[in-house]
Amino acid sequence: LVKFEDGVPRGTIARVLADTGARSVGSVPHLGVRIVEVRPGREESVARLLAARPAVQRVERDVVVTAHATTPNDPFWTAQTGSQEISAPGAWDLTRGSQSTVVAVLDSGIDSTHPDLAGSTLPGYDFVNGDADPADDNGHGTQSAGVLTARGNNSAGIAGMCWSCSILPVKVLGLVGEGSTAALASGIVWAADRGARVINMSLGGPGTTQTLTDAVRYAAGRGVVLVDSAGNEGTT
């Protein structure tokens, strides 16, 4: 990067560059800086020749900059290959989420006492047992919630996708990890009515019901993003 003195004629600039073996490839507008290239290995010698010319105010080596990628200090981050493959660190440079963004986890419930989920869960509901205690008696729901919203950069556990999002636990699967489309449909409608922006369902089955289809349409009509798993059986 070559900055010439103010008022130096273009012809003089061209001669200085030609005499020193530098080739102009562009400029930085309004700053009076020329971007020049030289043959590999001659960077330092050409820079000295340019700096010795009275018409040149300064010469500096261009510096490579790279995109920052937020790397959390959670001990198991290095094992989170899925999050790394979808470039989560680049997304975290822009946002780590917001507490006002509610993610409903329709699963086997959630262990709200888990240290990596501390303070993130909202009051939920259990559609399996019909009460307001969506405790996780299977473990799958807590695992799903961790992938979604485990607090990142807290030196504990893993880093979820949304470090600050709120979790709305909705229990639709029982002890052995099974439930009904009736419970699932009820959970979808319940979550949509309580401000969920995202409904996550890490579950599936061999068939469906119109009731479930209508519940999905109901939530989608309210602007909810519904996410469901697929492909676990590894067939088609």
Side-chain angles (χ1 to χ4, degrees), residues 102 188 191-193 195-199 216 218-227:
V102 177
I188 291 172
D193 285 347
R197 297 286 304 279
V198 178
I199 292 178
V216 169
Y218 177 84
R222 289 176 169 252
V224 177
V225 175
L226 296 102
V227 183

Side-chain angles (χ1 to χ4, degrees), residues 30-192:
H30 307 299
L31 301 184
V33 173
R34 293 296 182 103
I35 305 169
V36 304
E37 287 185 347
V38 301
R39 291 180 179 178
R42 295 203 61 210
E43 294 88 353
E44 299 302 328
S45 61
V46 171
R48 286 194 296 270
L49 291 173
L50 285 167
R53 295 297 182 101
V56 175
Q57 184 181 117
R58 71 169 185 268
V59 180
E60 56 187 350
R61 185 76 175 268
D62 205 351
V63 177
V64 174
V65 295
T66 59
H68 283 166
T70 300
T71 303
N73 60 18
D74 304 78
F76 296 114
W77 164 247
T78 55
Q80 293 182 248
T81 55
S83 299
Q84 295 167 32
E85 287 175 358
I86 64 171
S87 301
W92 292 329
D93 287 345
L94 303 177
T95 180
R96 287 84 183 269
S98 168
Q99 190 174 9
S100 63
T101 300
V102 177
V103 180
V105 179
L106 275 61
D107 212 294
S108 62
I110 292 176
D111 177 7
S112 60
T113 66
H114 192 289
D116 227 2
L117 301 175
S120 64
T121 57
L122 301 171
Y125 196 80
D126 179 352
F127 284 96
V128 176
N129 300 300
D131 57 47
D133 180 18
D136 188 0
D137 51 8
N138 175 275
H140 188 268
T142 301
Q143 182 183 26
S144 296
V147 172
L148 289 164
T149 61
R151 281 5 196 178
N153 214 39
N154 65 348
S155 301
I158 66 170
M161 296 311 310
C162 187
W163 299 359
S164 302
C165 290
S166 298
I167 306 171
L168 184 62
V170 185
K171 184 176 177 65
V172 296
L173 303 178
L175 177 64
V176 297
E178 293 181 352
S180 66
T181 62
L184 182 57
S186 298
I188 291 172
V189 172
W190 188 88

Side-chain angles (χ1 to χ4, degrees), residues 181-182 184-186 188 201 207-217:
T181 62
L184 182 57
S186 298
I188 291 172
M201 299 165 285
T208 188
T209 60
Q210 186 62 47
T211 299
L212 179 55
T213 299
D214 290 346
V216 169
R217 287 175 177 163

